[in-house]
Amino acid sequence: MKSYITEKGKNIATSEDIEGLTSKVESVKQQFLEKNANLKAKLDLLTNLQISHKNDKRLALIDFHKKNKKWIGMLTESSPLLIDDYNNSEIKVKIHLYNQVYQEVLSGEALLELYVKDKDLIKIISDLKISTLKHLAGHAPKFLIKLKHNNNEFKLYEKMPVDTLENIEKKSKKHTGLLEKRKVIFDEYRNNMTEGLKLNMSTEGEYRKYIREYLKNIPEE
């Protein structure tokens, strides 16, 4: 009887030990699962941040490229399109627009600097901007300013009297001279713009080649 009770006690103790161990195992398992879930959440957050950063970098590059292309496109128009070039008010708006578009390029460049750490890319963008300013940026505004002066001369010419044959001849001669001067202004602009475009072409080509390769190396998520 004593042996039975002793054995029974051992069995109870063993059962309690197993329950205790099981409880501890479950507790450790639960802690592991919680830590694992917490770690996974942190990794997911980090991954999402990395994806977001890559997407933001890609978008910043594309945004800058569009703004820069728009700027160069405006500077290389064959003439001030979509405006009345005899209207000084429209010319004034167009000149302001050149500056506005350039400011957009600068803002795009500033945004890009927040995401891009590639020194070569930053340098080639800077080189392109400097080259564009040097070879192209001055021609269009200068051309429009000359047109404004030409328009002002036309206004003065219109006030010339036509009361005598001599005055009529003078006015006709003045009109012809102003038209010829206007043609020279247009020709000079186109020649300067074309030459500037050629000088800028090499730097712009290097930029396009580099940025294409750079974009390829940013995984698209």
Side-chain angles (χ1 to χ4, degrees), residues 95-112:
I95 292 173
H96 175 72
L97 189 58
Y98 283 116
N99 182 63
Q100 182 179 323
V101 172
Y102 176 58
Q103 293 303 317
E104 290 176 6
V105 172
L106 293 181
S107 68
E109 184 182 18
L111 179 64
L112 200 59

Side-chain angles (χ1 to χ4, degrees), residues 73-86:
M74 279 190 65
L75 294 174
T76 53
E77 290 174 342
S78 60
S79 64
L81 303 177
L82 304 178
I83 70 166
D84 177 2
D85 54 62
Y86 282 92

Side-chain angles (χ1 to χ4, degrees), residues 59-95:
L59 291 174
L61 280 165
I62 293 171
D63 176 69
F64 171 79
H65 180 74
K66 286 180 178 178
K67 288 174 178 176
N68 189 70
K69 195 68 179 176
K70 179 182 177 182
W71 181 43
I72 293 177
M74 279 190 65
L75 294 174
T76 53
E77 290 174 342
S78 60
S79 64
L81 303 177
L82 304 178
I83 70 166
D84 177 2
D85 54 62
Y86 282 92
N87 187 323
N88 282 353
S89 295
E90 291 192 29
I91 289 176
K92 184 178 179 181
V93 170
K94 184 77 174 186
I95 292 173

Side-chain angles (χ1 to χ4, degrees), residues 80 83 91 94-95 98 140-148:
I83 70 166
I91 289 176
K94 184 77 174 186
I95 292 173
Y98 283 116
K142 188 184 294 183
F143 160 68
L144 291 174
I145 289 169
K146 287 182 178 181
L147 279 185
K148 279 182 67 178

Side-chain angles (χ1 to χ4, degrees), residues 1-39:
M1 185 68 175
K2 183 178 179 181
S3 176
Y4 171 78
I5 293 171
T6 302
E7 191 64 31
K8 186 71 173 176
K10 287 181 180 179
N11 290 339
I12 292 171
T14 302
S15 177
E16 289 175 349
D17 290 341
I18 291 172
E19 287 178 4
L21 286 171
T22 302
S23 177
K24 288 180 180 180
V25 168
E26 288 298 322
S27 176
V28 171
K29 181 180 177 182
Q30 184 61 32
Q31 289 177 18
F32 173 78
L33 291 174
E34 289 175 358
K35 287 182 179 180
N36 189 51
N38 187 39
L39 179 60

